[in-house]
Every structure is written in C-alpha cells, then in structure tokens.
Amino acid sequence: MSVKITLLKTGEQIISDMKELVAEGKEEAHAYLLENPHTYEISEKEFITEEEKMQGDVGINVTLFPWLILSKDKKMIIPIDTVLTVVEPLESVTQLYLDKCEAVKIKEELND
C-alpha cells in the first residue's frame, strides 16, 4: 500500500492508496488510481493535556471524509494533468487513514 496526499490543481487535498497507471509501451504514467480516496478537515483541539504539550502535540484534530461521498466506487482514476503535487503524509495521518479503511472494511463485511 502506498498512502499519499494528492494536491489537485483545484486545491482539493486527497489522501488515498495511490498507484500510477502506465499505458502499454509507455514509460511515464498517464493517470493515477486512487483507492479509498478521502478528503480531510483539520480543526484545533479544544483541550490539550499536559502530556500532549510535553510530547509536542500541535493541538489539531484530523477528520477524514470520503472524497466523493455519494459514489459507491472505491477506486477512482484521475489524469496526471489534474495533479499539482503528491506528498508523503505524516505517520500519524497515515495510521489514521489505515485505521479508517480497516473499520470501513469490517463494517462492509458485517453488512454482506
């Protein structure tokens, strides 16, 4: 799994499992496959404990939301030219994303 944050030219920021799609006979990618793409919202924590202060916690909460919330698709293709940049998320954000994906997978299995 390759969890990345993608900044689109529209300004949207998406965290997902990302793969490059390469056409046959070509060397460069022509699109990205985003699996379980989510956007995120950042808000300030209302309360910070002394322990969090000592550990250097920056005092924010991160909430993940499905990117296209009304779609049942879990895999989406976006063209290379819509992407401004791709970066590695913080380890804590990657873990938050993986935990959410696992929780959704378990919920879906229970509903089948």
Side-chain angles (χ1 to χ4, degrees):
M1 184 172 279
S2 181
V3 178
K4 303 288 186 191
I5 293 177
T6 306
L7 174 60
L8 301 180
K9 289 182 179 178
T10 61
E12 292 176 282
Q13 295 181 30
I14 303 165
I15 185 168
S16 67
D17 179 16
M18 174 186 261
K19 294 177 178 63
E20 290 183 341
L21 298 178
V22 180
E24 232 177 278
K26 302 279 183 172
E27 289 185 21
E28 294 183 19
H30 68 279
Y32 292 113
L33 175 65
L34 306 181
E35 294 188 43
N36 298 312
H38 282 68
T39 57
Y40 51 89
E41 184 177 284
I42 298 171
S43 59
E44 287 187 38
K45 285 185 179 180
E46 291 186 29
F47 303 100
I48 300 175
T49 66
E50 284 297 320
E51 183 179 332
E52 289 172 325
K53 283 183 187 179
M54 298 291 279
Q55 294 174 351
D57 191 318
V58 294
I60 62 170
N61 287 320
V62 178
T63 307
L64 299 175
F65 303 97
W67 178 36
L68 299 174
I69 199 161
L70 298 179
S71 175
K72 66 180 181 177
D73 294 335
K74 300 291 183 202
K75 296 180 181 181
M76 297 169 196
I77 298 172
I78 59 171
I80 292 274
D81 64 356
T82 63
V83 174
L84 191 58
T85 191
V86 177
V87 297
E88 293 284 332
L90 297 170
E91 288 180 28
S92 59
V93 175
T94 299
Q95 192 58 53
L96 178 68
Y97 171 78
L98 294 173
D99 290 347
K100 177 157 189 202
C101 289
E102 184 63 28
V104 168
K105 181 181 172 186
I106 291 169
K107 185 177 178 183
E108 289 173 349
E109 289 173 357
L110 291 173
N111 289 332
D112 283 344

